[in-house]
Amino acid sequence: MRNYMKLEIPSKSLNEAFARAAVGAFAAQADPTVEELADIKTSVSEAVTNSIIHGYRDTVGVIYIECEARVEKTCVIEITVRDEGVGIPDVERAMEPLFTTAPDEERSGMGFTVMQSFMDTLDVTSEKGKGTTVKMSKEINAGIGDE
Amino acid sequence: MYKKTRGKPTDQSKGGKHMNCEIEQIGGALVVKLSGEIDQHCAEELRGDIDRQLDIKRSASLIIDLGDVDFMDSSGLGLIMGRYRKMQARGGKLLLARPTPAVDKLLELSGINKLVGRERTK
Ligand SMILES: Nc1ncnc2c1ncn2[C@@H]1O[C@H](COP(=O)(O)OP(=O)(O)O)[C@@H](O)[C@H]1O
Ligand SMILES: [Mg+2]
């Protein structure tokens, strides 16, 4: 079985809570544990917040969120968060723990580290001036395909 | 006591969901009780509220009670690290109280647990 959803939101910070709640509701159909669900919501919050405060720093743009649930023996939730913002010049560097380009705003530089450790896979592609795509997935142990 | 409540979950006019913050000076400590969801949307305002009270009360220590925090992302880590540095700079200390398992997982990952003490009497 395969299920999916797509979401488009303007890059306003009040949408952070909405985005993680929406993805959380989608993921809930796979019957995740409390911890798995928290991991997914936190990771989505990180990716969406990055698009808002870094990608669209001086503007308001559109954030595209796509989720897919694939069920075989277990369920894999795959989430893509994409922006058409400023992009990341050096992705490898940006993903290092504690690296941030906004320390004076008390950014912790832990966003990518959180996504990396809370999800099973994380793939970041970015082009300067074009935008950033964050693709991540997590296996949920109780399947949705039981019915 | 200083108390601030943000809008209800559906109250977009007040910026949407999400957090409550109660600040109270108890002895030499400023106790900040957070509840709800801590993300980038509310972090800056929280920082302002806490720092303003710290400056007014000249508190020797800061206790942040995380027991009723339903959600936190790395914006919360930035907020906690920032308050840690502020208290360090003035020769005071920061203690964290009652983190939920989810919040503790984040604190552990960031290394904050190695720097910041726990208030266990709550
Ligand atoms: N969507 C994005 N668009 C542009 N730059 C980004 C994006 N996401 C992350 N970055 C860059 O990567 C850095 C590290 O991100 P992260 O680990 O989430 O830490 P933080 O958000 O606290 O700075 C950011 O400081 C920023 O420079
Ligand atoms: Mg971030």
Side-chain angles (χ1 to χ4, degrees):
Chain A
M1 197 198 114
R2 175 181 171 265
N3 196 8
Y4 71 91
M5 71 103 159
K6 294 182 181 192
L7 200 62
E8 249 184 66
I9 50 171
S11 60
K12 296 172 190 272
S13 67
L14 71 84
N15 280 330
E16 291 160 9
F18 170 70
R20 64 179 176 258
V23 175
F26 178 82
Q29 67 187 297
D31 202 17
T33 62
V34 172
E35 184 174 8
E36 286 168 340
L37 190 58
D39 289 350
I40 288 171
K41 288 174 79 172
T42 309
S43 300
V44 169
S45 197
E46 297 297 347
V48 169
T49 300
N50 279 352
S51 292
I52 294 169
I53 60 171
H54 303 302
Y56 296 119
R57 169 149 292 259
D58 303 313
T59 51
V60 175
V62 181
I63 301 172
Y64 304 87
I65 302 169
E66 294 187 22
C67 295
E68 191 179 315
R70 279 192 308 272
V71 185
E72 282 157 29
K73 275 197 201 98
T74 57
C75 176
V76 174
I77 303 276
E78 192 173 280
I79 301 157
T80 307
V81 177
R82 180 169 66 85
D83 68 60
E84 293 166 345
V86 297
I88 306 174
D90 184 346
V91 172
E92 212 175 308
R93 179 116 197 270
M95 290 177 76
E96 283 170 16
L98 304 175
F99 177 86
T100 181
T101 49
D104 42 328
E105 289 157 40
E106 293 196 344
R107 301 303 313 161
S108 63
M110 290 298 290
F112 281 129
T113 307
V114 166
M115 291 181 248
Q116 209 146 33
S117 73
F118 285 15
M119 301 294 284
D120 296 337
T121 69
L122 174 67
D123 179 47
V124 182
T125 53
S126 190
E127 199 178 331
K128 220 180 149 203
K130 292 256 170 69
T132 301
T133 302
V134 173
K135 200 171 187 169
M136 47 199 175
S137 71
K138 190 174 181 71
E139 186 175 334
I140 304 300
N141 288 312
I144 56 173
D146 295 346
E147 71 267 66
Chain B
M1 188 167 89
Y2 176 95
K3 190 166 176 174
K4 185 163 194 169
T5 304
R6 296 295 299 269
K8 292 197 181 67
T10 49
D11 191 354
Q12 298 278 317
S13 66
K14 291 209 177 81
K17 261 180 158 176
H18 46 271
M19 47 86 32
N20 297 321
C21 169
E22 289 175 19
I23 306 181
E24 192 177 3
Q25 180 81 16
I26 302 175
L30 192 74
V31 179
V32 176
K33 192 168 190 299
L34 300 177
S35 54
E37 305 192 10
I38 304 174
D39 59 11
Q40 186 267 331
H41 181 63
C42 66
E44 194 180 328
E45 189 175 333
L46 267 179
R47 158 166 55 148
D49 290 347
I50 296 169
D51 285 0
R52 207 170 308 118
Q53 293 299 315
L54 276 176
D55 292 340
I56 293 169
K57 306 272 167 46
R58 313 222 127 266
S59 319
S61 60
L62 171 64
I63 299 170
I64 301 180
D65 182 348
L66 298 163
D68 295 327
V69 172
D70 304 315
F71 175 88
M72 187 174 108
D73 64 18
S74 73
S75 306
L77 295 175
L79 179 77
I80 292 169
M81 278 313 296
R83 307 292 68 64
Y84 171 72
R85 291 201 194 94
K86 188 177 168 90
M87 294 311 289
Q88 285 275 92
R90 57 154 78 181
K93 67 174 173 182
L94 168 66
L95 294 171
L96 298 177
R98 302 196 306 148
T100 60
V103 169
D104 197 43
K105 187 173 174 180
L106 211 57
L107 295 172
E108 197 60 44
L109 179 69
S110 69
I112 286 178
N113 276 344
K114 292 203 188 77
L115 296 173
V116 177
R118 266 310 143 77
E119 166 71 49
R120 296 191 188 275
T121 54
K122 291 230 94 182

